[in-house]
Structures are given as structure tokens and as C-alpha cells.
Amino acid sequence: MDAKTTLVLLYQDGTQNPHADCSVLELVRGPESRSFSENAPLAILRPDIGLHILYDAYRLGMYRQGLDTFDEVLEELSFEALYRNELLLKDDRGNEADPGSLWKLRSGTLILVGDDAHLTIDFANAEPLFNRIA
């Protein structure tokens, strides 16, 4: 359920902007959420329950328009932590992730964010190659 609470917008540069008594829907309807600057939102955090939602403008726009439910948003965008890889990574199919690529951690698996190639890595085997950012 998308309840009103304190939400925090986490930006690319690490700054955080708290929003009291706000739902995710209200937050993504606000003008601040539509910034296309280099310091665009990276995630929406709900500290009271440890919920983290990747800030995907397209998927959140679908929710804003009523085309996705909050449960669908959570299924697609929730994560436990965000990481960036330090080195170029390649899989056995030739897919690559450039250094500094964004990855979300879910259930012990790192998933490459925002790329056409679907890359996943077992976090336990690759932790030293990544830096946690959220």
C-alpha cells in the first residue's frame, strides 16, 4: 500500500531530500521528481520500513498515470542496496557492463539497471568488484 509517510529522494550525487507526510504517488507527481539534470533522482527511500525503490522515470510515470499498480512498481523497482562496479565486466555471452554501471541487489543477486542486456551476478562471488552507493 502506498501510504503517506516520510519519504526521501536520493540523488545521483548522494544528496537526500526528505518529504514528510507524502505517498510515492504524490512524490512522483511533484515537479522536483521530473528533473532531467545530471543530478536526477536515483531512488525513493522509505526509512520507517527499509523500503528502497529505484527511481525509474518511465515505470513511475506509468504508476502516476494509473497504468501500473503500486504492487507492480514494488515488484519491478524495489531493491536491497545499490552498487556500482569498479571494472569492466563481461559475461560468457559477450555482454558487458562498463565501469561505474548501476546494479541493484535483490535476494543475493546483483542485477544490471537500465541496460538492454540482462546481466546478473551472484553477489557473494563478486562483492569485491563493487562499491555500495545506497
Side-chain angles (χ1 to χ4, degrees):
M1 181 175 168
D2 188 9
K4 286 189 175 197
T5 187
T6 297
L7 298 174
V8 177
L9 268 179
L10 173 66
Y11 290 89
Q12 298 282 343
D13 69 358
T15 59
Q16 297 184 11
N17 188 2
H19 295 263
D21 195 34
C22 185
S23 69
V24 171
L25 183 58
E26 290 169 338
L27 186 64
V28 299
R29 283 183 174 158
E32 176 182 19
S33 68
R34 293 191 209 109
S35 171
F36 292 101
S37 68
E38 284 185 23
N39 197 30
L42 179 63
I44 299 170
L45 311 176
R46 186 173 165 189
D48 64 331
I49 60 170
L51 178 64
H52 303 80
I53 301 171
L54 184 67
Y55 199 96
D56 180 314
Y58 175 76
R59 290 303 303 253
L60 290 170
M62 298 285 285
Y63 177 53
R64 184 175 57 243
Q65 296 171 41
L67 301 173
D68 273 351
T69 67
F70 188 63
D71 287 341
E72 289 170 324
V73 167
L74 291 181
E75 175 66 30
E76 183 70 26
L77 302 179
S78 66
F79 63 89
E80 297 160 26
L82 289 177
Y83 290 84
R84 292 199 187 273
N85 54 302
E86 297 178 1
L87 306 170
L88 175 70
L89 300 175
K90 296 181 183 183
D91 71 5
D92 54 0
R93 296 177 307 240
N95 296 313
E96 297 181 354
D98 293 327
S101 295
L102 184 64
W103 300 74
K104 66 180 178 180
L105 178 66
R106 290 184 76 177
S107 303
T109 300
L110 287 166
I111 304 163
L112 182 61
V113 173
D115 200 293
D116 291 336
H118 182 71
L119 291 175
T120 60
I121 296 175
D122 179 21
F123 183 62
N125 295 329
E127 186 173 359
L129 302 174
F130 291 85
N131 291 318
R132 184 174 178 158
I133 60 168

